[in-house]
Amino acid sequence: MARFQILSLIGGGIRGAFITSYLKELEQKLGRPIAESFDLIAGTSTGGIIAAGLALGMSAEQMHDFYVRYGEQIFTPRPPYKAKRLMRFIFPVANWVFREKTGSGLDSAFRARYCPHALQTAFDEGFGDRTLKSVEFTRLIIPSVNLSRGEPHIFRSRHLPLGVRDSNLKVSDVVIAATAAPTYFPHRQIRDEAFVDGGVWAADPSMLAFSETMRIQQFCTREGMDPAYSTKEVHLLSIGTGRAQYSLEPPGADAGVLFWAPRVADLMSTSQVQGLHLPLKYLLGDRYRHVNFPMERQWGLAEVENIPALFAMGEKRAEETFDWVSDSFLQHHRDQFVPFDSDEDAIDLDEFGFD
């Protein structure tokens, strides 16, 4: 039986800079593309950006350079909201009160906080016109949410028959959809359907990636083309975007929107990541390893001033963990997958309860 390795990259906004620095350092020590060691790469939100680049065959250094060049640009604040008519007189006072109570102004009550045009420019320049059909270096999955259908959606390479349906989508559009965190960026329209950040349901895509390997095992059975492996041969390396000592003290005996609105996203994503460690450790044992770094506080998704510290922490963690990561994961060489590439392959797997 073959060995099957997964690289799982967790969401976390600009904290993805840690992942790029960490992988760049590992790759330089390894002397070859990091993606060559993994049969499947999964990424949520900022992790999806990095995962897409690696799965296309880009080096970790190229993805690091992308964050160096575009990190601050991606989180370009919009110009102040201009109220109209009678609201011109009410808005300044209401905005001050709201900012005092929540830490952010009323601008974010009417629209997303950051400019979508800067995001579009960065990804268009980074990925060009390449489509998901171009993803052949290694397998890729990126979770998102299809708002129009009211269900999770997984963008994937053509390693499964289901992947054919999205094969003509531009990678830049996919990563914009998969990083459109509610309140941070506007939703993304693709084929007349609205998508948002997969971190809403899969901030840590590790369990999703493990499920994908089981799906590959079940549906990819082309003789001489697809790998044969057992669950006992699945190994998963997860890389986080910061581990905070996270706690909250709700005011009094109750708390409402003013308290929860600026906190609920961080609470949900942090809890999701923490909650997955136990089942993954139970399923995979020592074949599951997680790399992260401690944060004294919860660094915000858009705090671009932390980029230098994140880069430095990535380099430090790579130095600290290289030996065991190399022994456990980096000696493996993935077999390049054979894509499904015709409409006839695009079978409907709904009967199996799969996206």
Side-chain angles (χ1 to χ4, degrees):
M1 287 285 184
R3 181 182 174 115
F4 194 98
Q5 292 201 159
I6 303 166
L7 177 62
S8 176
L9 308 178
I10 295 174
I14 201 58
R15 299 198 305 267
F18 167 80
I19 297 177
T20 66
S21 181
Y22 180 79
L23 293 178
K24 174 181 72 73
E25 291 299 309
L26 291 186
E27 189 173 87
Q28 288 178 350
K29 292 176 180 294
L30 183 64
R32 58 180 173 83
I34 197 80
E36 282 188 2
S37 293
F38 296 94
D39 302 278
L40 170 67
I41 302 179
T44 294
S45 193
T46 189
I49 302 170
I50 304 163
L54 297 178
L56 280 165
M58 299 169 70
S59 67
E61 183 170 10
Q62 286 177 289
M63 298 313 301
H64 179 264
D65 290 344
F66 178 88
Y67 275 68
V68 170
R69 182 174 182 182
Y70 297 109
E72 292 190 28
Q73 178 181 325
I74 287 173
F75 288 98
T76 300
R78 283 176 150 175
Y81 175 77
K82 294 183 179 180
K84 299 178 181 179
R85 300 185 177 89
L86 290 177
M87 281 297 293
R88 288 182 302 166
F89 306 101
I90 301 172
F91 185 80
V93 176
N95 189 41
W96 181 85
V97 172
F98 197 78
R99 187 179 297 278
E100 287 293 305
K101 294 292 185 180
T102 69
S104 62
L106 266 177
D107 292 44
S108 58
F110 295 94
R111 60 185 184 176
R113 303 178 206 177
Y114 298 101
C115 178
H117 306 301
L119 195 70
Q120 182 77 60
T121 298
F123 291 145
D124 280 346
E125 292 184 13
F127 295 107
D129 292 327
R130 283 176 285 191
T131 65
L132 284 178
K133 192 173 185 178
S134 306
V135 180
E136 295 187 353
F137 194 78
T138 195
R139 300 170 184 83
L140 170 71
I141 59 171
I142 302 176
S144 65
V145 177
N146 186 322
L147 297 177
S148 302
R149 297 188 181 186
E151 62 186 22
H153 182 84
I154 304 167
F155 295 106
R156 54 168 57 82
S157 54
R158 294 174 295 143
H159 60 268
L160 279 176
L162 196 58
V164 178
R165 66 180 183 182
D166 288 338
S167 62
N168 291 322
L169 298 181
K170 289 177 62 176
V171 172
S172 59
D173 288 337
V174 167
V175 294
I176 288 174
T179 56
T183 75
Y184 285 87
F185 294 104
H187 63 270
R188 183 66 172 185
Q189 292 289 135
I190 297 179
R191 294 183 303 216
D192 298 322
E193 294 180 328
F195 292 84
V196 294
D197 194 321
V200 171
W201 67 283
D204 182 341
S206 297
M207 187 63 77
L208 175 63
F210 177 74
S211 299
E212 190 82 352
T213 66
M214 298 300 97
R215 195 183 306 189
I216 294 168
Q217 184 186 61
Q218 183 176 1
F219 293 104
C220 299
T221 56
R222 297 169 294 178
E223 187 174 352
M225 299 170 68
D226 294 319
Y229 55 89
S230 71
T231 305
K232 294 181 179 180
E233 294 301 325
V234 176
H235 297 249
L236 193 156
L237 175 63
S238 165
I239 304 177
T241 51
R243 182 179 62 255
Q245 300 300 314
Y246 196 74
S247 61
L248 288 175
E249 293 292 339
D254 204 354
V257 172
L258 288 179
F259 176 80
W260 285 113
R263 299 173 174 88
V264 68
D266 283 338
L267 174 64
M268 291 174 63
S269 62
T270 300
S271 299
Q272 280 185 47
V273 172
Q274 291 174 340
L276 278 180
H277 293 321
L278 182 60
L280 285 166
K281 193 68 177 175
Y282 176 78
L283 286 168
L284 298 175
D286 291 340
R287 291 176 285 118
Y288 166 66
R289 302 296 296 269
H290 177 68
V291 175
N292 215 333
F293 67 95
M295 296 188 294
E296 293 182 1
R297 62 176 181 83
Q298 185 74 25
W299 288 1
L301 303 182
E303 294 182 10
V304 296
E305 64 272 17
N306 292 326
I307 291 176
L310 289 162
F311 285 158
M313 186 61 72
E315 293 176 3
K316 179 183 177 184
R317 289 296 287 146
E319 186 68 33
E320 294 170 345
T321 63
F322 177 76
D323 288 342
W324 69 257
V325 170
S326 178
D327 291 344
S328 300
F329 292 96
L330 303 185
Q331 305 310 307
H332 173 71
H333 289 257
R334 60 92 178 91
D335 290 325
Q336 192 163 351
F337 74 97
V338 179
F340 292 89
D341 59 5
S342 72
D343 291 338
E344 293 178 1
D345 290 324
I347 62 175
D348 186 356
L349 300 181
D350 285 345
E351 62 181 293
F352 300 101
F354 293 136
D355 171 74

